[in-house]
Amino acid sequence: AQRVTQPEKLLSVFKGAPVELKCNYSYSGSPELFWYVQYSRQRLQLLLRHISRESIKGFTADLNKGETSFHLKKPFAQEEDSAMYYCALLGAGGTSYGKLTFGQGTILTVHP
Amino acid sequence: DTAVSQTPKYLVTQMGNDKSIKCEQNLGHDTMYWYKQDSKKFLKIMFSYNNKELIINETVPNRFSPKSPDKAHLNLHINSLELGDSAVYFCASSKARGVPYEQYFGPGTRLTVT
């Protein structure tokens, strides 16, 4: 079974400070991992995915298979980054093929 | 031009009623999904359809019945609503099933059962 864990329900930082949102996963195959973001009163939208290896809005995430982690990082947080962030794993085979499993979500608040 | 749309946005109803939520996507995608976000913001897949065929059916009470009249639509019908059904329901779509296809989400329908 695939599982995604985000240990922090709430995370508060000040503007300009670095931020790291933690994500750990459990999956027997080769994982396809995503970070989704939900701004206040908006729909869930894709922030980034590990295979693209790109930086979106200053955020990056590196897949660490040894630690089964996919932490989201940004060196200098901005107030507009305040949102709910979900880490998600897409099943690539068997009964979990095509199934997107989300972590519990982390609410990031960036204070001025 | 909204990619994935849902109606209604808000739904308030009483226990025991039957209600439907509609979802439409104009992206030309083959696969559509329903997710439930509970009061603790936990997001979990309920169903998935690929080309009008049910492919994912999580352990959801059979009071919930998805219906896909065509590839662009996936509706969710709920019978005998219970208090615990109160949640935000999100529809999503992807070009195809599985890796590496990104899922696009609708705005959500907030269902409140009183």
Side-chain angles (χ1 to χ4, degrees):
Chain A
Q2 57 197 59
R3 186 180 301 161
V4 179
T5 304
Q6 293 177 248
E8 303 139 329
K9 181 69 181 175
L10 301 169
L11 185 61
S12 288
V13 299
F14 285 99
K15 178 182 172 182
V19 63
E20 181 180 51
L21 290 84
K22 292 184 167 48
C23 172
N24 289 89
Y25 67 90
S26 172
Y27 185 59
S28 56
S30 186
E32 175 76 18
L33 287 154
F34 303 82
W35 276 99
Y36 279 84
V37 61
Q38 187 177 27
Y39 299 103
S40 180
R41 298 179 184 179
Q42 293 188 27
R43 68 185 67 204
L44 205 64
Q45 53 188 288
L46 180 67
L47 181 62
L48 53 80
R49 55 194 305 174
H50 90 269
I51 60 167
S52 59
R53 303 184 70 83
E54 56 189 345
S55 173
I56 304 292
K57 298 184 179 182
F59 285 96
T60 58
D62 289 317
L63 177 61
N64 185 323
K65 291 187 178 181
E67 296 182 359
T68 60
S69 68
F70 187 55
H71 303 326
L72 183 68
K73 300 177 185 178
K74 185 169 183 176
F76 307 103
Q78 303 299 316
E79 289 178 69
E80 55 266 29
D81 296 329
S82 295
M84 169 73 96
Y85 291 81
Y86 289 98
C87 183
L89 185 151
L90 184 63
T95 56
S96 63
Y97 183 64
K99 184 175 155 185
L100 194 61
T101 299
F102 286 89
Q104 301 92 322
T106 298
I107 300 172
L108 173 66
T109 303
V110 181
H111 300 283
Chain B
D1 54 343
T2 307
V4 182
S5 59
Q6 294 178 229
T7 53
K9 192 166 183 176
Y10 300 96
L11 186 52
V12 181
T13 188
Q14 292 185 326
M15 283 175 56
N17 285 347
D18 303 338
K19 289 293 178 186
S20 291
I21 306 172
K22 295 186 176 181
C23 177
E24 177 182 2
Q25 53 95 3
N26 62 6
L27 297 166
H29 288 169
D30 285 347
T31 309
M32 296 185 73
Y33 312 81
W34 277 110
Y35 288 87
K36 179 181 180 180
Q37 186 182 47
D38 63 22
S39 57
K40 296 183 179 179
K41 302 290 188 181
F42 187 57
L43 201 59
K44 192 170 191 298
I45 190 165
M46 300 173 69
F47 302 103
S48 176
Y49 270 73
N50 188 61
N51 277 321
K52 301 197 300 174
E53 180 188 349
L54 181 65
I55 53 170
I56 294 176
N57 185 354
E58 291 295 283
T59 44
V60 175
N62 55 18
R63 297 182 295 104
F64 291 78
S65 53
K67 283 188 174 54
S68 182
D70 54 58
K71 280 193 337 181
H73 296 85
L74 180 62
N75 304 323
L76 183 65
H77 188 76
I78 315 170
N79 289 328
S80 304
L81 277 154
E82 300 177 357
L83 292 176
D85 298 332
S86 295
V88 180
Y89 293 84
F90 287 98
C91 177
S93 74
S94 61
K95 188 175 182 181
R97 180 186 176 193
V99 178
Y101 301 105
E102 173 190 346
Q103 294 184 20
Y104 294 80
F105 284 79
T109 296
R110 183 176 294 277
L111 171 65
T112 304
V113 183
T114 61

